[in-house]
Amino acid sequence: MTDRTSTSDPSTRRVGDELASFSARLYRLGWMPGTSGNLSARLPGAPDRALITASGRDKGELTAQDMVVVDARTGDPVQPTALRASAETSIHAAVYRTTDAEAVIHVHSPYATAVACRAGRETRTTLVHLERFELLKGLGLADATSTELPVFPNWAEVSRIAADVADYYGQATAAPPGLLIAGHGVTAWGKDLAQARNRLECLESICQLLVIGAGEIRVRDPG
């Protein structure tokens, strides 16, 4: 009998095709150079499982066969495969555990990465204050006038980044559907890949405005 979460299952393959399509679009934007970046989405009918891009694959040439089924809460593979899930799977799992995300996208878009470089710290989480930008309305915030975007330390052990993300989003109220990792890039999520991408584009555009001087990059510690 075929496992319902096998990548050959029709519904899983449809999600894989969608991940590959979104990946190719983001690659063409220059946001996923080389093999960088990763995308995932919960599986229909199996919300405890997610499909995520495999590690070490060119993000402009992915197919549905370049995906790995993982436990959405832990990031652990749920079936034998020769592929390795993205090295940052545990961060996706932390988002799924602590938010209502159905899809998660991580990229190295230039302006968000620039802000992550400027606002990030080696050993502590910081917050970038965002206000007055019309694009904040695209994040689905309860109060679209302002928010604080967390920037997490880029620990060598990805599990430490994931733990920081889970701790923050497990407690934060009114937090935005996105985050930065110091010197690394931006992650955003939503009810599906289209909404996650839209929110990602809004965050990148806001960061572009900050970098070119439309506002001050105001950084503070949580608390």
Side-chain angles (χ1 to χ4, degrees), residues 127-150:
L127 301 173
V128 178
H129 185 76
L130 306 176
E131 65 178 353
R132 297 186 299 107
F133 292 110
E134 184 73 12
L135 286 164
L136 287 172
K137 294 179 180 179
L139 299 181
L141 302 167
D143 177 6
T145 61
S146 68
T147 192
E148 291 187 307
L149 184 65

Side-chain angles (χ1 to χ4, degrees), residues 85-158:
S86 167
E88 290 155 351
T89 301
S90 60
I91 299 174
H92 289 241
V95 171
Y96 286 130
R97 283 199 307 276
T98 57
T99 75
D100 60 359
E102 293 291 321
V104 180
I105 302 175
H106 166 66
V107 299
H108 294 247
S109 52
Y111 290 101
T113 303
V115 172
C117 289
R118 296 184 187 182
R121 302 294 182 265
E122 288 188 6
T123 60
R124 71 181 191 277
T125 298
T126 55
L127 301 173
V128 178
H129 185 76
L130 306 176
E131 65 178 353
R132 297 186 299 107
F133 292 110
E134 184 73 12
L135 286 164
L136 287 172
K137 294 179 180 179
L139 299 181
L141 302 167
D143 177 6
T145 61
S146 68
T147 192
E148 291 187 307
L149 184 65
V151 188
F152 297 99
N154 189 13
W155 303 112
E157 302 85 2
V158 178

Side-chain angles (χ1 to χ4, degrees), residues 12-64:
T12 304
R13 186 178 181 86
R14 283 195 295 273
V15 175
D17 286 337
E18 190 176 17
L19 287 168
S21 176
F22 275 81
S23 181
R25 174 174 176 170
L26 294 166
Y27 175 85
R28 288 193 296 270
L29 287 173
W31 292 5
M32 303 178 80
T35 63
S36 67
N38 34 77
L39 304 85
S40 70
R42 290 188 193 266
L43 290 173
D48 59 331
R49 296 186 177 182
L51 198 63
I52 191 165
T53 49
S55 178
R57 299 299 173 99
D58 185 331
K59 298 308 187 297
E61 299 180 356
L62 294 180
T63 72

